[in-house]
Protein backbone atom coordinates (compact mmCIF):
# COMPACT_ATOMS: atom_id res chain seq x y z
CA UNK A 1 0.00 0.00 0.00
CA UNK A 2 1.09 3.55 -0.64
CA UNK A 3 0.16 6.69 1.24
CA UNK A 4 1.18 10.27 1.78
CA UNK A 5 0.82 12.55 4.78
CA UNK A 6 0.97 16.30 4.73
CA UNK A 7 1.02 17.16 8.43
CA UNK A 8 0.16 20.84 8.03
CA UNK A 9 -3.21 21.99 6.72
CA UNK A 10 -1.92 25.54 6.42
CA UNK A 11 1.40 27.29 6.11
CA UNK A 12 1.70 31.05 6.36
CA UNK A 13 4.84 32.99 5.57
CA UNK A 14 5.82 36.54 4.75
CA UNK A 15 6.90 37.39 1.24
CA UNK A 16 10.65 36.99 0.87
CA UNK A 17 10.89 34.42 3.63
CA UNK A 18 11.68 30.74 3.05
CA UNK A 19 8.75 28.44 2.43
CA UNK A 20 8.62 24.77 3.42
CA UNK A 21 5.72 22.41 2.86
CA UNK A 22 6.13 19.04 4.53
CA UNK A 23 5.39 15.60 3.11
CA UNK A 24 6.04 12.10 4.38
CA UNK A 25 5.25 8.92 2.50
CA UNK A 26 4.80 5.21 2.99
CA UNK A 27 5.45 2.59 0.31
CA UNK A 28 6.42 -1.06 0.16
CA UNK A 29 9.06 -0.62 -2.49
CA UNK A 30 10.73 2.51 -3.71
CA UNK A 31 8.81 5.71 -4.27
CA UNK A 32 8.21 7.99 -7.14
CA UNK A 33 7.33 11.31 -5.53
CA UNK A 34 5.59 14.32 -7.02
CA UNK A 35 4.54 17.81 -6.01
CA UNK A 36 1.61 19.60 -7.58
CA UNK A 37 0.10 23.03 -7.02
CA UNK A 38 -3.53 24.01 -7.44
CA UNK A 39 -4.76 27.55 -7.82
CA UNK A 40 -8.44 28.37 -7.13
CA UNK A 41 -10.81 26.79 -9.60
CA UNK A 42 -7.97 25.27 -11.59
CA UNK A 43 -6.52 21.82 -12.15
CA UNK A 44 -3.28 20.47 -10.71
CA UNK A 45 -0.07 21.91 -12.04
CA UNK A 46 3.09 19.78 -11.92
CA UNK A 47 6.00 21.30 -9.97
CA UNK A 48 8.63 18.59 -9.67
CA UNK A 49 9.28 14.91 -9.12
CA UNK A 50 11.78 12.52 -7.64
CA UNK A 51 12.42 9.29 -9.50
CA UNK A 52 15.99 8.36 -8.71
CA UNK A 53 19.39 9.92 -8.41
CA UNK A 54 20.16 13.22 -6.74
CA UNK A 55 18.14 13.68 -3.57
CA UNK A 56 17.70 17.39 -4.25
CA UNK A 57 15.24 17.99 -7.05
CA UNK A 58 14.72 21.36 -8.67
CA UNK A 59 11.44 22.23 -10.29
CA UNK A 60 9.32 25.01 -11.69
CA UNK A 61 9.00 28.55 -10.31
CA UNK A 62 12.05 28.25 -8.05
CA UNK A 63 10.74 25.32 -6.04
CA UNK A 64 12.89 22.43 -4.95
CA UNK A 65 12.38 19.33 -2.84
CA UNK A 66 14.66 17.05 -0.92
CA UNK A 67 14.15 13.32 -0.86
CA UNK A 68 15.13 11.74 2.45
CA UNK A 69 14.81 7.97 2.40
CA UNK A 70 15.64 7.42 6.07
CA UNK A 71 12.95 9.86 7.15
CA UNK A 72 10.60 8.91 4.31
CA UNK A 73 10.12 12.57 3.56
CA UNK A 74 9.94 14.76 0.49
CA UNK A 75 9.57 18.34 1.70
CA UNK A 76 8.94 21.13 -0.78
CA UNK A 77 10.99 24.30 -0.38
CA UNK A 78 11.37 27.73 -1.86
CA UNK A 79 14.11 30.05 -0.60
CA UNK A 80 12.12 33.25 -1.06
CA UNK A 81 8.33 33.05 -1.25
CA UNK A 82 6.17 35.28 -3.41
CA UNK A 83 2.59 36.37 -2.85
CA UNK A 84 1.77 34.55 -6.09
CA UNK A 85 2.87 31.27 -4.46
CA UNK A 86 -0.30 31.34 -2.38
CA UNK A 87 -2.15 28.18 -3.41
CA UNK A 88 -2.96 24.60 -2.43
CA UNK A 89 -0.04 22.18 -2.62
CA UNK A 90 -0.28 18.43 -2.98
CA UNK A 91 2.35 15.78 -2.47
CA UNK A 92 1.80 12.46 -4.26
CA UNK A 93 3.46 9.06 -4.34
CA UNK A 94 3.53 6.03 -6.58
CA UNK A 95 5.03 2.78 -5.29
CA UNK A 96 7.43 1.25 -7.82
CA UNK A 97 6.72 -2.23 -6.45
CA UNK A 98 3.00 -1.94 -7.04
CA UNK A 99 1.05 -2.78 -10.15
CA UNK A 100 -1.28 0.12 -9.38
CA UNK A 101 -1.05 2.79 -11.99
CA UNK A 102 -2.21 5.51 -9.70
CA UNK A 103 -0.96 8.35 -7.57
CA UNK A 104 -1.90 8.59 -3.93
CA UNK A 105 -2.21 12.18 -2.78
CA UNK A 106 -1.86 13.88 0.53
CA UNK A 107 -4.70 16.00 1.87
CA UNK A 108 -3.05 19.17 0.66
CA UNK A 109 -1.46 22.17 2.36
CA UNK A 110 -2.79 25.67 1.85
CA UNK A 111 0.04 28.14 1.55
CA UNK A 112 -0.58 31.81 2.24
CA UNK A 113 2.18 34.28 1.52
CA UNK A 114 1.47 37.71 2.95
CA UNK A 115 2.89 40.86 1.43
CA UNK B 1 1.93 21.41 -27.23
CA UNK B 2 -1.65 21.38 -26.02
CA UNK B 3 -2.29 20.19 -22.50
CA UNK B 4 -4.94 17.85 -21.19
CA UNK B 5 -8.33 19.12 -22.29
CA UNK B 6 -11.50 18.40 -20.39
CA UNK B 7 -15.07 19.15 -21.38
CA UNK B 8 -17.39 20.44 -20.18
CA UNK B 9 -15.77 22.67 -17.58
CA UNK B 10 -18.94 23.23 -15.58
CA UNK B 11 -22.22 21.41 -15.44
CA UNK B 12 -25.24 21.08 -13.23
CA UNK B 13 -27.27 17.89 -13.11
CA UNK B 14 -30.27 16.66 -11.18
CA UNK B 15 -30.23 13.67 -8.86
CA UNK B 16 -30.91 10.47 -10.75
CA UNK B 17 -29.56 11.76 -14.04
CA UNK B 18 -26.38 10.57 -15.66
CA UNK B 19 -23.37 12.53 -16.89
CA UNK B 20 -20.54 11.95 -19.32
CA UNK B 21 -17.26 13.81 -19.04
CA UNK B 22 -14.68 13.92 -21.78
CA UNK B 23 -10.91 14.11 -21.74
CA UNK B 24 -8.35 14.56 -24.49
CA UNK B 25 -4.84 13.69 -23.34
CA UNK B 26 -1.61 15.33 -24.36
CA UNK B 27 -0.61 14.21 -27.82
CA UNK B 28 1.36 10.97 -27.63
CA UNK B 29 0.17 10.09 -24.13
CA UNK B 30 -1.50 6.71 -23.96
CA UNK B 31 -2.37 6.57 -20.28
CA UNK B 32 -5.39 8.45 -19.03
CA UNK B 33 -6.51 8.45 -15.43
CA UNK B 34 -9.39 10.08 -13.61
CA UNK B 35 -9.56 11.53 -10.11
CA UNK B 36 -12.36 12.94 -8.02
CA UNK B 37 -11.65 15.92 -5.80
CA UNK B 38 -13.95 16.93 -2.98
CA UNK B 39 -13.36 19.09 0.10
CA UNK B 40 -14.09 16.19 2.41
CA UNK B 41 -12.30 13.31 0.71
CA UNK B 42 -9.55 15.13 -1.15
CA UNK B 43 -8.17 13.60 -4.32
CA UNK B 44 -9.30 10.06 -4.95
CA UNK B 45 -8.33 7.79 -7.81
CA UNK B 46 -11.19 6.60 -10.00
CA UNK B 47 -9.59 4.57 -12.79
CA UNK B 48 -6.77 4.43 -15.28
CA UNK B 49 -6.74 3.39 -18.92
CA UNK B 50 -3.92 2.45 -21.21
CA UNK B 51 -4.41 1.46 -24.84
CA UNK B 52 -8.17 1.18 -24.33
CA UNK B 53 -7.78 -1.19 -21.36
CA UNK B 54 -8.66 -0.35 -17.80
CA UNK B 55 -5.60 -1.21 -15.76
CA UNK B 56 -6.79 -0.03 -12.40
CA UNK B 57 -9.95 0.96 -10.66
CA UNK B 58 -10.37 2.85 -7.43
CA UNK B 59 -12.84 2.20 -4.69
CA UNK B 60 -15.94 3.71 -6.26
CA UNK B 61 -19.35 2.16 -6.91
CA UNK B 62 -20.24 0.68 -10.26
CA UNK B 63 -22.16 3.85 -11.14
CA UNK B 64 -18.79 5.26 -12.08
CA UNK B 65 -17.44 3.92 -15.34
CA UNK B 66 -15.07 4.95 -18.04
CA UNK B 67 -13.60 4.03 -21.35
CA UNK B 68 -10.77 4.95 -23.63
CA UNK B 69 -10.86 5.18 -27.37
CA UNK B 70 -8.24 4.18 -29.91
CA UNK B 71 -7.04 7.79 -30.15
CA UNK B 72 -6.44 7.75 -26.36
CA UNK B 73 -9.31 10.12 -25.67
CA UNK B 74 -11.30 9.05 -22.64
CA UNK B 75 -14.75 9.47 -21.22
CA UNK B 76 -16.11 8.81 -17.78
CA UNK B 77 -19.74 8.31 -16.97
CA UNK B 78 -21.61 8.57 -13.73
CA UNK B 79 -25.11 7.13 -13.69
CA UNK B 80 -27.92 7.70 -11.21
CA UNK B 81 -26.29 10.80 -9.83
CA UNK B 82 -26.32 11.46 -6.10
CA UNK B 83 -25.75 14.74 -4.28
CA UNK B 84 -22.45 13.36 -3.02
CA UNK B 85 -21.15 13.08 -6.57
CA UNK B 86 -20.76 16.85 -6.69
CA UNK B 87 -17.05 17.31 -7.19
CA UNK B 88 -14.23 18.40 -9.41
CA UNK B 89 -13.37 15.57 -11.77
CA UNK B 90 -9.81 15.67 -12.97
CA UNK B 91 -8.39 13.87 -15.93
CA UNK B 92 -4.67 13.24 -16.20
CA UNK B 93 -2.43 11.80 -18.87
CA UNK B 94 1.07 10.40 -19.11
CA UNK B 95 3.29 8.42 -21.42
CA UNK B 96 3.21 5.61 -18.82
CA UNK B 97 5.27 2.49 -19.13
CA UNK B 98 4.59 -0.45 -16.86
CA UNK B 99 5.84 0.99 -13.59
CA UNK B 100 6.57 4.46 -14.55
CA UNK B 101 8.03 7.62 -13.18
CA UNK B 102 6.62 9.51 -16.11
CA UNK B 103 5.06 12.78 -15.13
CA UNK B 104 1.29 12.79 -14.90
CA UNK B 105 -0.23 15.99 -16.26
CA UNK B 106 -3.67 17.15 -15.21
CA UNK B 107 -6.40 18.99 -17.00
CA UNK B 108 -8.40 21.91 -15.61
CA UNK B 109 -11.16 19.63 -14.47
CA UNK B 110 -14.90 19.36 -14.87
CA UNK B 111 -16.94 20.88 -12.08
CA UNK B 112 -20.05 18.77 -11.51
CA UNK B 113 -22.83 20.02 -9.29
CA UNK B 114 -25.71 17.66 -8.52
CA UNK B 115 -28.90 19.30 -7.28
Amino acid sequence: AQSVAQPEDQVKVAEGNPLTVKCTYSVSGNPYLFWYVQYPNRGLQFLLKYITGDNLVKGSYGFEAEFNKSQTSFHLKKPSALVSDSALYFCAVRDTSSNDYKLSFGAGTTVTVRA
Amino acid sequence: KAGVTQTPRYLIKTRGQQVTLSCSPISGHRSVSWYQQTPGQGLQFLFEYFSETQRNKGNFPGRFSGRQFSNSRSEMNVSTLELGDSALYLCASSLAGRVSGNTIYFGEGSWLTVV
Side-chain angles (χ1 to χ4, degrees), chain A residues 43-57:
Chain A
L44 271 64
Q45 189 172 325
F46 170 73
L47 283 178
L48 51 79
K49 68 180 180 183
Y50 171 82
I51 303 301
T52 186
D54 195 347
N55 289 343
L56 183 63
V57 179

Side-chain angles (χ1 to χ4, degrees), chain A residues 13 23 28 39 45 47-49 55 61-62 65 69 81-82 84 86 90 95 98 101 108 113:
Chain A
V13 300
C23 170
S28 300
Y39 295 98
Q45 189 172 325
L47 283 178
L48 51 79
K49 68 180 180 183
N55 289 343
Y61 312 117
K69 188 170 184 176
L82 301 172
S84 57
S86 299
F90 290 98
D95 189 340
S98 169
Y101 299 94
V113 182

Side-chain angles (χ1 to χ4, degrees), chain A residues 26-45:
Chain A
S26 176
V27 295
S28 300
N30 291 312
Y32 292 145
L33 293 155
F34 303 81
W35 275 101
Y36 290 87
V37 60
Q38 186 176 36
Y39 295 98
N41 302 316
R42 303 296 298 275
L44 271 64
Q45 189 172 325

Side-chain angles (χ1 to χ4, degrees), chain A residues 36 38 42 49 94 101, chain B residues 37 56 98 100-101 104 108:
Chain A
Y36 290 87
Q38 186 176 36
R42 303 296 298 275
K49 68 180 180 183
R94 171 185 269 170
Y101 299 94
Chain B
Q37 185 179 18
N56 249 115
R98 180 148 179 81
S100 169
I104 297 176
E108 293 291 327

